[in-house]
Amino acid sequence: MSTILEIKNLYKDFGSLNILNNINVTIEEGDFLVLVGPSGCGKSTLLNCIAGLEPITSGAIAIDGRDMTIVSPKDRDIAMVFQSYALYPTMTVGQNITFGMKVRGVEKNEREEKLAKVAKQLQIEPLLNRRPGQLSGGQRQRVAMGRALVRDPKLFLFDEPLSNLDAKLRVEMRTEIKKLHQNLNASMVYVTHDQIEAMTLATKIVVMKGGVVQQIGTPSEIYNHPSNLFVADFMGSPAMNLIPAKVAKNGKGVKFTIARSYGEPLILYDEHITKLPENVVLGLRPEDIGDAKLRKGDKLQISTCSVDVVEPAGADTYVLINLGGKEVTARLQAETAAQTGMEMAFTFNMDKVSYFDAQTGQRLN
Amino acid sequence: MTEPNSNYADSRYIQKLILRSLLFLLLGTFAFYYLMPLFVMVTTSLKSLEEIRTGSLIELPREVTFAAWKTAWSGACTGIQCEGLRPYFWNSVLLAVPAVIISTLIGALNGYVIAQWRFKGANLIFSLMLFGCFIPFQVVLLPMARVLGIINLAGSISGLVFVHVIYGIGFTTLFFRNYYVSIPVELVKAAKIDGANFFRIFISIFLPLSLPIIVVTVIWQFTQIWNDFLFGVSFSEAGTQPVTVALNNIVNSTTGVKEYNVDMAAAIIAALPTLLVYVVAGKYFIRGLTAGSVKG
């Protein structure tokens, strides 16, 4: 496998405003890289820098081993799909898809041939003579992808391509993009603010905030081992529970004391870790807190908590309990007996716990 | 439909009918008010001088004659020459057509650059151009006369074309800029990645989108330039005067009997092209003024 995209020490400033700060990202052939973060984190700017649509302040970008830092977009061997689709309104679907080839002086026969192939692949053959204005959102999306596919580029760039679609269509198109990626074994960089999209599509995720990369890793790494409080909070839905706790030594391991607004504090133990600062934040995914009646195991620690809110969500029921002054979500079975106000025993899976420094927010384990 | 419902529908229908009639009455009154002068002009131009003197202003002509039109077109005296409006009409055509085309094209390019290729100071330049729209004609007369003298275009039709192009760029840029600014910038990005350059994007993507705003600009510029009097009278000389100046000369330089029918015919002839442009393209004018975003 060869390196398709290599970004080294990239900085981007707008005037005195720093947008991107020392970005270093590498992807291999066939990787699906997702840039994710809240709006304004610089992820779209980074994508535009990769495309060559925005000049960079310093650093280097190489695509397929060639330095592309100052190469113009058309010569970077990339294709891009935009959020607004950016279809040329006065051209038909066919003309939209072949415009790039026409500009590059590709022979008509070859253009037709490639158009037919892509149209078949995306099942848009009946639409070729229509104009973008006559298409539905999902169809426009397909055409925009067709325009990218027909170039057969080294690298595909997607700029929030699904955010203009309604919820149902978004899930469908998401699956289709994933299939496309698998079938083509193409290398892709995909920008989204939707962490579910990031988790489902990516082979590699870059979480960004304020122009700084927070963590780079596989979806599983990002989900199970978030590198700081921001990533922990941003990735996953419902979000990871972040519970402030006091640490005390306990034999070989440590003991956590979590204050509660009522009754005794909650006590949890971890025997596998020895050194922690006095104040930490415990990160537990909702699925790591369960119903004590249903889950059995040695590693699980059981404690009784009072139920604040019960939210049935169909497949699961989310139960909110108050710990350490924060609402904590537990994911229980759909047919749980939990009711608002009742005392209930919960299990805490300390195998999966993340510890963060209460001051710096950095991961400790 | 059941009984009570249809009663309700009936009263709604009557209410609507009354509102409609009121609306048409009001519109009719305004239409009448605005059409009255045109009516007087047309009927007077078709009367003989004898009939004008004896008849009433709003009477239909007893005997329709096109003699006045013929005189106005090719025989009326503008000062010492008596060639009618014809040569000046063609002067105006030779002046207006290139001036409209050039100023529209420059405006389209300017608008495209300012709206879609944001560069440092783009807003400042746009503001300055906008400012140009508000400079009264009179202010630029003297400096413009100097400039025309220096570049050797004084008194020529090309000189007038130059003046109108310069003066029109502010407006045309404003029109196109406001139209293009609603087009997503992603369109340019997509075309750049497709390999199109600055002019290719303009010609293949932006110009085909621009029909409504081109129509608006052409109507606006044509009306301005065709109807202009001040620049026409200031920067022309005998033989290069536009039709508005000639019309003024015909009306003001008659000796003896005032030929109202010829004056009216000449005025209508001078106004006909702009009228025609509105009739042909007026539909697009409204559409273009209200059309903003381009979806897709």
Side-chain angles (χ1 to χ4, degrees):
Chain A
M1 276 210 292
S2 61
T3 303
I4 287 296
L5 173 68
E6 190 176 15
I7 300 171
K8 266 199 225 152
N9 308 327
L10 186 148
Y11 285 83
K12 167 78 185 166
D13 301 328
F14 279 125
S16 60
L17 192 68
N18 179 242
I19 305 294
L20 295 172
N21 197 337
N22 197 14
I23 309 283
N24 286 284
V25 177
T26 309
I27 70 169
E28 306 296 322
E29 198 172 348
D31 262 349
F32 197 126
L33 180 83
V34 174
L35 306 173
V36 68
S39 32
C41 72
K43 55 191 191 298
S44 281
T45 309
L46 178 55
L47 195 73
N48 278 320
C49 289
I50 297 171
L53 295 167
E54 290 278 359
I56 65 176
T57 307
S58 68
I61 296 171
I63 295 173
D64 198 23
R66 286 164 56 215
D67 180 35
M68 294 287 184
T69 312
I70 50 165
V71 173
S72 83
K74 66 181 164 69
D75 299 323
R76 292 195 181 202
D77 205 356
I78 51 163
M80 191 158 170
V81 176
F82 296 89
Q83 182 177 355
S84 69
Y85 318 131
L87 300 177
Y88 312 126
T90 54
M91 297 184 199
T92 64
V93 168
Q95 287 166 335
N96 259 286
I97 293 174
T98 53
F99 180 70
M101 288 190 282
K102 211 172 153 189
V103 170
R104 279 157 218 274
V106 175
E107 289 289 319
K108 191 161 186 228
N109 293 340
E110 197 185 336
R111 292 203 308 253
E112 300 283 324
E113 208 173 288
K114 285 194 171 169
L115 172 64
K117 196 173 144 218
V118 165
K120 189 154 184 261
Q121 194 173 4
L122 291 169
Q123 295 160 353
I124 51 172
E125 287 141 313
L127 309 176
L128 289 182
N129 289 318
R130 297 215 205 146
R131 284 180 206 285
Q134 301 164 298
L135 303 180
S136 71
Q139 289 170 331
R140 285 180 203 179
Q141 182 62 62
R142 271 169 208 277
V143 176
M145 302 229 292
R147 195 168 59 179
L149 281 178
V150 83
R151 284 206 60 184
D152 191 20
K154 276 275 175 302
L155 183 63
F156 286 93
L157 306 175
F158 292 86
D159 190 1
E160 308 214 17
L162 303 183
S163 46
N164 280 358
L165 300 176
D166 63 60
K168 189 165 176 289
L169 204 53
R170 197 178 309 162
V171 175
E172 281 175 31
M173 291 304 291
R174 198 169 73 198
T175 314
E176 246 175 79
I177 292 179
K178 182 137 192 163
K179 268 192 211 151
L180 204 65
H181 171 244
Q182 285 163 354
N183 294 342
L184 297 173
N185 192 33
S187 315
M188 297 178 169
V189 180
Y190 186 106
V191 164
T192 181
H193 61 265
D194 181 345
Q195 45 89 17
I196 298 177
E197 249 173 54
M199 294 292 295
T200 48
L201 288 172
T203 59
K204 194 174 190 180
I205 294 177
V206 176
V207 184
M208 294 178 66
K209 181 197 167 198
V212 180
V213 171
Q214 304 292 310
Q215 187 173 4
I216 302 180
T218 63
S220 143
E221 280 165 10
I222 301 269
Y223 190 76
N224 295 314
H225 301 282
S227 67
N228 58 36
L229 279 175
F230 172 80
V231 178
D233 189 42
F234 189 77
M235 300 299 290
S237 172
M240 184 182 254
N241 297 303
L242 300 168
I243 314 160
K246 289 240 179 287
V247 179
K249 234 179 144 43
N250 178 56
K252 277 194 289 176
V254 292
K255 178 176 102 172
F256 300 98
T257 312
I258 298 163
R260 287 200 271 200
S261 52
Y262 53 90
E264 295 286 298
L266 173 69
I267 309 290
L268 294 171
Y269 300 95
D270 190 337
E271 288 157 11
H272 305 291
I273 196 152
T274 48
K275 235 177 116 61
L276 279 178
E278 195 189 338
N279 288 305
V280 297
V281 175
L282 258 67
L284 273 171
R285 293 279 174 200
E287 56 269 30
D288 297 329
I289 305 176
D291 188 338
K293 281 194 207 114
L294 296 167
R295 290 207 204 160
K296 297 266 175 344
D298 327 327
K299 300 280 174 68
L300 301 177
Q301 300 178 30
I302 298 177
S303 180
T304 304
C305 303
S306 146
V307 173
D308 278 1
V309 180
V310 178
E311 294 176 338
D316 305 294
T317 296
Y318 296 110
V319 169
L320 267 59
I321 52 185
N322 192 300
L323 287 177
K326 290 221 170 167
E327 291 291 357
V328 170
T329 310
R331 176 182 282 171
L332 307 183
Q333 264 88 346
E335 48 288 316
T336 175
Q339 278 182 346
T340 307
M342 77 185 274
E343 293 281 324
M344 196 176 153
F346 289 92
T347 58
F348 294 84
N349 185 354
M350 296 301 277
D351 272 357
K352 292 282 204 75
V353 71
S354 301
Y355 301 116
F356 303 99
D357 189 305
Q359 261 84 52
T360 63
Q362 292 304 311
R363 186 184 183 87
L364 296 167
N365 64 331
Chain B
M1 212 184 268
T2 55
E3 267 317 298
N5 260 349
S6 79
N7 268 342
Y8 177 67
D10 274 354
S11 74
R12 279 290 296 268
Y13 177 74
I14 290 167
Q15 201 182 356
K16 208 173 154 188
L17 203 69
I18 292 170
L19 280 173
R20 271 279 126 131
S21 342
L22 276 173
L23 181 70
F24 279 114
L25 188 71
L26 194 71
L27 290 175
T29 313
F30 276 110
F32 177 77
Y33 182 77
Y34 282 108
L35 281 174
M36 218 36 221
L38 183 65
F39 171 79
V40 172
M41 281 176 76
V42 172
T43 50
T44 308
S45 74
L46 295 175
K47 291 174 187 171
S48 63
L49 262 183
E50 178 64 28
E51 201 183 324
I52 293 171
R53 235 176 285 125
T54 54
S56 136
L57 190 65
I58 54 168
E59 244 177 341
L60 283 172
R62 281 189 295 266
E63 215 178 312
V64 174
T65 164
F66 287 95
W69 283 73
K70 204 178 161 214
T71 313
W73 180 245
S74 55
C77 298
T78 55
I80 48 167
Q81 284 152 311
C82 293
E83 301 170 288
L85 279 183
R86 188 169 50 190
Y88 307 101
F89 189 91
W90 291 121
N91 282 349
S92 271
V93 171
L94 288 177
L95 152 70
V97 171
V100 168
I101 292 172
I102 295 169
S103 62
T104 304
L105 275 179
I106 294 178
L109 257 178
N110 282 349
Y112 167 63
V113 172
I114 290 171
Q116 295 282 338
W117 294 74
R118 310 220 127 247
F119 54 93
K120 237 186 170 146
N123 277 330
L124 179 74
I125 288 184
F126 179 59
S127 314
L128 289 175
M129 286 190 145
L130 209 56
F131 187 65
C133 299
F134 298 108
I135 297 175
F137 278 25
Q138 295 84 334
V139 174
V140 298
L141 282 183
L142 279 177
M144 188 57 88
R146 278 288 291 155
V147 171
L148 287 178
I150 290 165
I151 60 177
N152 243 340
L153 288 177
S156 67
I157 289 181
S158 318
L160 273 174
V161 170
F162 178 76
V163 173
H164 281 296
V165 167
I166 298 285
Y167 215 86
I169 284 175
F171 286 97
T172 56
T173 303
L174 170 72
F175 288 150
F176 278 98
R177 182 262 177 197
N178 286 356
Y179 188 76
Y180 288 152
V181 88
S182 64
I183 295 175
V185 284
E186 291 186 340
L187 223 50
V188 169
K189 289 185 180 176
K192 271 190 199 167
I193 289 178
D194 264 343
N197 61 21
F198 178 87
F199 282 105
R200 183 69 192 249
I201 297 173
F202 179 61
I203 290 164
S204 294
I205 294 163
F206 280 82
L207 272 191
L209 271 176
S210 313
L211 184 67
I213 201 66
I214 289 175
V215 171
V216 169
T217 311
V218 165
I219 291 184
W220 174 268
Q221 280 298 93
F222 187 81
T223 313
Q224 291 291 312
I225 294 169
W226 186 273
N227 288 344
D228 163 69
F229 179 76
L230 188 63
F231 285 158
V233 80
S234 311
F235 300 133
S236 64
E237 55 193 27
T240 62
Q241 286 149 335
V243 72
T244 44
V245 176
L247 173 65
N248 174 70
N249 292 348
I250 287 176
V251 174
N252 285 336
S253 67
T254 33
T255 47
V257 189
K258 194 112 180 101
E259 293 178 296
Y260 286 110
N261 49 359
V262 174
D263 293 353
M264 294 298 179
I268 294 171
I269 289 170
L272 223 49
T274 47
L275 216 62
L276 198 74
V277 167
Y278 271 101
V279 169
V280 171
K283 190 170 69 177
Y284 293 97
F285 188 64
I286 307 292
R287 211 181 286 168
L289 282 181
T290 51
S293 69
V294 178
K295 296 230 172 81

